[in-house]
Amino acid sequence: MTVRAVIKGVGHYLPERVVPNAEFEATLDTTDEWIRTRSGIERRHFAAEGETTSQMGAHAARAALKDAGIDASDIDMVVVATSTPDLTFPSVATMIQKDLGMTKGFAFDVQAVCAGFIYALSNANAQIVSGQAKRVLVIGAETFSRIMDWTDRSTCVLFGDGAGALVLEAAEGTGTSEDRGILSVDLNSDGTYRDMLYVDGGVSTTGTAGKLRMQGNPLFRQAVSKLASTAETAMEKANITSADIDWVVPHQANIRIIEGTAKKLGLSMDKVVVTVQDHGNTSAASIPLAMSVGKARGQIKQGDICVAEAIGGGLAWGAVVLRW
Ligand code: UT7
């Protein structure tokens, strides 16, 4: 018997405040036109003062539980992908566990920056397949607005805040790509790329949270080639080809990266869920946000084969193939 981690529900949360590109023109040497044409971003949401990553994650989790028709008390594992936790510890996952009124099961965070949701999904899948958990909440939640250098036009116009969540449940499968659920995972990292994307502060160095630093152009080139290759590896592992894909759900960093990766995979853009124009780069929240919006738009339907892929600081990158 093959055990599969099947998607039972999806949900998301976006903070109320929407910031259009034009707002940056007042404080930075930038234009709406530059941001749109270089990144595809038109607007992003920023958390309100005092609004936290765990609060946003809990909103998304509630929406996903409602969609699944599952009570929080029936969840036995919560994993949160985030690089912007409320506190150094305890984990955002345990804070969300408390917020949802759960007192059993186990909860922890995963930190793989923009690839975090892929790493968290992989972990949830492994726990379900090994029998450690039956129903898992997988959440991506970020407040990147807290680590922006508002004087650096090359980074602060690109990121946004938000959260997305999936509910996964163990189910019996046949072991083929006809099964619903997670069909394959491919994970990679290479720490020699540290300086391409990092935050210049932390507990054991400066004792501060620090600000995000990025070498955008070299990262752009790494992103397209590494995303296409990890997606191809995940497809090979799932025994499918590009022709079998209904939807690519990419990390939403830059429309040109999304288009370049789709082209390398031989897929037209009408098979790609795109939300970057409305959310900007929400790091580990971007894939579950795109899945939730893609389902709400009527794009992703039960039975569809989806490939999710992401890359971020580390560098860390990876892909998941799943049948919704
Ligand atoms: O989530 C993790 C993954 N993240 C990514 O993969 C991000 C990858 N990188 C990117 O998305 C793109 O590299 C950017 C959107 C960051 C930049 O686009 P680019 O086409 O690579 O531009 P560039 O960095 O080569 O910069 C071109 C010019 C520079 O001016 P000079 O040196 O040519 O005079 C920049 O200083 O654009 C300038 N520039 C800006 N101009 C107006 C940079 N930021 C801005 C800005 N407004 N906001």
Side-chain angles (χ1 to χ4, degrees):
M1 185 195 77
T2 304
V3 177
R4 294 292 195 190
V6 172
I7 293 165
K8 301 299 284 185
V10 63
H12 72 270
Y13 171 81
L14 288 160
E16 209 176 299
R17 182 173 166 221
V18 179
V19 176
N21 292 342
E23 250 189 72
F24 291 102
E25 292 177 357
T27 51
L28 291 169
D29 180 15
T30 191
T31 57
D32 170 44
E33 208 255 331
W34 190 95
I35 302 168
R36 251 174 225 262
T37 52
R38 295 295 178 120
S39 73
I41 299 165
E42 296 172 20
R43 60 193 71 81
R44 75 286 291 139
H45 293 246
F46 284 150
E49 212 182 309
E51 190 169 28
T52 63
T53 298
S54 70
Q55 288 165 356
M56 294 195 296
H59 288 306
R62 278 196 192 88
L65 287 167
K66 191 172 173 215
D67 187 47
I70 287 175
D71 196 81
S73 60
D74 292 323
I75 295 290
D76 40 32
M77 166 177 155
V78 182
V79 56
V80 176
T82 190
S83 305
T84 47
D86 300 23
L87 300 174
T88 301
F89 73 79
S91 64
V92 171
T94 53
M95 294 183 189
I96 293 176
Q97 196 188 18
K98 174 174 180 272
D99 200 330
L100 297 176
M102 295 167 56
T103 52
K104 63 177 181 68
F106 58 103
F108 59 97
D109 292 354
V110 161
Q111 207 269 57
V113 202
C114 299
F117 195 76
I118 299 291
Y119 276 64
L121 260 188
S122 164
N123 200 301
N125 183 52
Q127 303 279 7
I128 285 176
V129 168
S130 68
Q132 295 271 19
K134 279 202 160 46
R135 293 198 185 93
V136 181
L137 254 173
V138 191
I139 302 164
E142 301 276 21
T143 37
F144 261 52
S145 63
R146 307 278 195 254
I147 52 166
M148 289 297 109
D149 173 350
W150 299 110
T151 65
D152 178 8
R153 66 177 182 171
S154 69
T155 54
C156 73
V157 301
L158 301 173
F159 293 87
D161 302 334
L166 292 185
V167 176
L168 302 181
E169 186 176 62
E172 268 186 42
T174 61
T176 71
S177 61
E178 293 305 310
D179 291 344
R180 285 188 64 210
I182 294 176
L183 301 177
S184 70
V185 180
D186 183 57
L187 300 180
N188 311 269
S189 65
D190 182 347
T192 59
Y193 292 103
R194 190 202 91 135
D195 292 348
M196 232 174 239
L197 179 54
Y198 67 101
V199 170
D200 63 3
V203 177
S204 69
T205 51
T206 59
T208 62
K211 300 293 177 203
L212 182 143
R213 308 291 169 206
M214 182 171 82
Q215 297 166 11
N217 197 271
L219 177 57
F220 185 101
R221 281 180 268 119
Q222 289 297 329
V224 176
S225 72
K226 288 187 163 43
L227 288 172
S229 85
T230 187
E232 269 161 5
T233 305
M235 285 192 273
E236 261 171 48
K237 288 182 184 177
N239 209 16
I240 63 157
T241 68
S242 286
D244 299 307
I245 293 174
D246 295 296
W247 293 105
V248 178
V249 190
H251 171 47
Q252 310 282 324
N254 184 318
I255 190 67
R256 293 185 295 135
I257 295 175
I258 295 172
E259 288 168 349
T261 307
K263 193 170 168 201
K264 270 189 181 272
L265 294 173
L267 289 164
S268 72
M269 283 301 289
D270 56 15
K271 294 214 172 243
V272 184
V273 178
V274 179
T275 57
V276 68
Q277 68 282 5
D278 297 324
H279 303 162
N281 183 346
T282 58
S283 187
S286 95
I287 286 177
L289 262 165
M291 285 176 167
S292 183
V293 169
K295 189 186 168 223
R297 282 179 188 157
Q299 293 176 310
I300 302 173
K301 294 184 206 65
Q302 189 167 313
D304 283 354
I305 292 256
C306 302
V307 179
E309 30 90 342
I311 187 165
L315 296 179
W317 67 102
V320 168
V321 175
L322 58 89
R323 189 183 286 281
W324 197 270

